[in-house]
Amino acid sequence: MAAPHLHLLLVLSLALSLCLLPDTARAQLRQNYYASSCPRVESIVRGVVQNKIKQTFVTIPATLRLFFHDCFVQGCDASVIVASTATNKAEKDHSDNLSLAGDGFDTVIKAKAAVDATPGCRNKVSCADILAIATRDVIALSGGPSYPVELGRLDGLSSTAASVNGKLPQPTFTLNQLTAYVCCQRTHPNRHDCSLSGAHAWILSL
């Protein structure tokens, strides 16, 4: 059973990688964004991801799914990682996010800690960029393609469970329902949405 699942992952991860390609709406993103402030950030994150995958294969689908749930709500701003407080219920505690595997969060947390522990890098790299890099790395390390990730995302300043309502397509959606959802809910529906949704549906089938 593992081999067919891995083959599906490679196909879907190739499609998912499209969502990290340059977008005219995000012209501020660029490669080598941290060239002067934290030049080793990508190799540091990759090392953490490699170790996590050695510990558990769940790291791969968990990170992919975390990225999906983050990007579909308020953009790729890592707001899904923010913890709830006594006065605010955050995105991660919305019913649609309760099934997110802890290994995805753990990957980002450990990678962020490793980056901040590097001289000169402390508080320089956003969790949003770390999640984007980690997603590319789980794809590549599982046998999928490696591709450049444009960086420069800012971490979200707001994370509320209410913001998730109606934003995530459900895994039970038919193709027609998914198409209608993307056209109605997304300002600029495109192949990236379909790629993310396909990967998400496969991940939930594991």
Side-chain angles (χ1 to χ4, degrees):
M1 294 295 290
H5 279 167
L6 182 56
H7 293 158
L8 279 171
L9 173 62
L10 300 186
V11 172
L12 289 169
S13 63
L14 175 59
L16 177 60
S17 68
L18 293 173
C19 74
L20 297 181
L21 292 177
D23 189 308
T24 54
R26 294 176 179 144
Q28 77 277 11
L29 301 184
R30 65 179 186 273
Q31 294 179 38
N32 301 318
Y33 182 86
Y34 298 104
S36 59
S37 58
C38 187
R40 294 184 53 244
V41 60
E42 294 194 48
S43 62
I44 295 169
V45 173
R46 188 179 182 89
V48 172
V49 172
Q50 284 178 317
N51 288 333
K52 276 291 296 180
I53 292 175
K54 288 178 181 178
Q55 293 171 11
T56 173
F57 179 80
V58 175
T59 298
I60 296 170
T63 304
L64 283 167
R65 190 164 179 243
L66 184 64
F67 186 65
F68 168 89
H69 280 242
D70 182 44
C71 294
F72 245 89
V73 176
Q74 297 187 116
C76 307
D77 64 353
S79 54
V80 73
I81 298 174
V82 176
S84 294
T85 66
T87 58
N88 178 63
K89 184 177 180 181
E91 288 178 37
K92 69 184 298 184
D93 289 320
H94 186 278
S95 58
D96 284 349
N97 288 331
L98 294 179
S99 62
L100 291 173
D103 286 297
F105 294 98
D106 191 49
T107 299
V108 178
I109 291 169
K110 287 183 175 178
K112 174 64 172 171
V115 169
D116 282 351
T118 302
C121 293
R122 186 170 181 79
N123 297 327
K124 298 289 180 62
V125 183
S126 67
C127 288
D129 275 343
I130 287 175
L131 178 54
I133 295 169
T135 299
R136 184 271 312 278
D137 289 343
V138 297
I139 288 171
L141 291 169
S142 61
S146 183
Y147 49 88
V149 177
E150 296 205 328
L151 303 170
R153 297 166 186 78
L154 299 178
D155 288 335
L157 298 178
S158 172
S159 178
T160 64
S163 67
V164 180
N165 293 334
K167 296 293 180 63
L168 293 169
Q170 300 302 303
T172 56
F173 276 9
T174 65
L175 178 59
N176 288 338
Q177 287 175 312
L178 180 60
T179 301
Y181 172 87
V182 170
C183 290
C184 294
Q185 298 293 332
R186 303 286 281 174
T187 304
H188 301 291
N190 54 41
R191 63 182 178 176
H192 299 168
D193 299 309
C194 296
S195 301
L196 280 165
S197 299
H200 181 256
W202 173 78
I203 290 165
L204 286 179
S205 73
L206 286 176

